[in-house]
Amino acid sequence: MKKLLLSASLALAFTAIQGQTALAQTAITVGSDVDAGTLDPRLTRDVTAARVADLIYSGLVHLTPALEPVPDLAESWETPDPTTYIFHLREGWSFRMAHP
């Protein structure tokens, strides 16, 4: 009986390890001290939501820690006047601005 229980326990442990390995290949786990208020990047109002949205979504540009814009979906951009921005997107990408 002990051998049967030991065999069953080992089989369950092996199955659990295989399941975790498959999950680890398809899932991203992010540790956070609080929940994100939203996953909609347009509505982020807290630091955690902004960080999570930054991991999930791409934007036209990305801000460095020094708050300098660097290309993301846009390869380059120009500002012909103070109220106009023209973004040149990477090949094969499109960008649609949604309104809240």
Side-chain angles (χ1 to χ4, degrees), residues 56-91:
I56 296 173
Y57 302 104
S58 294
L60 290 172
V61 297
H62 177 76
L63 294 177
T64 67
L67 300 179
E68 298 169 340
V70 293
D72 198 358
L73 290 179
E75 284 185 316
S76 62
W77 58 91
E78 53 190 283
T79 54
D81 62 67
T83 60
T84 304
Y85 291 85
I86 300 171
F87 291 92
H88 303 278
L89 299 182
R90 296 182 188 280
E91 186 72 32

Side-chain angles (χ1 to χ4, degrees), residues 7-78:
S7 296
S9 297
L10 288 174
L12 285 173
F14 183 70
T15 303
I17 290 170
Q18 284 182 328
Q20 286 179 347
T21 302
L23 180 62
Q25 294 173 357
T26 61
I28 296 174
T29 303
V30 178
S32 175
D33 56 340
V34 295
D35 289 337
T38 180
L39 294 180
D40 186 336
R42 302 167 300 156
L43 304 175
T44 56
R45 302 283 188 269
D46 57 87
V47 174
T48 304
R51 288 180 179 164
V52 172
D54 192 41
L55 291 171
I56 296 173
Y57 302 104
S58 294
L60 290 172
V61 297
H62 177 76
L63 294 177
T64 67
L67 300 179
E68 298 169 340
V70 293
D72 198 358
L73 290 179
E75 284 185 316
S76 62
W77 58 91
E78 53 190 283

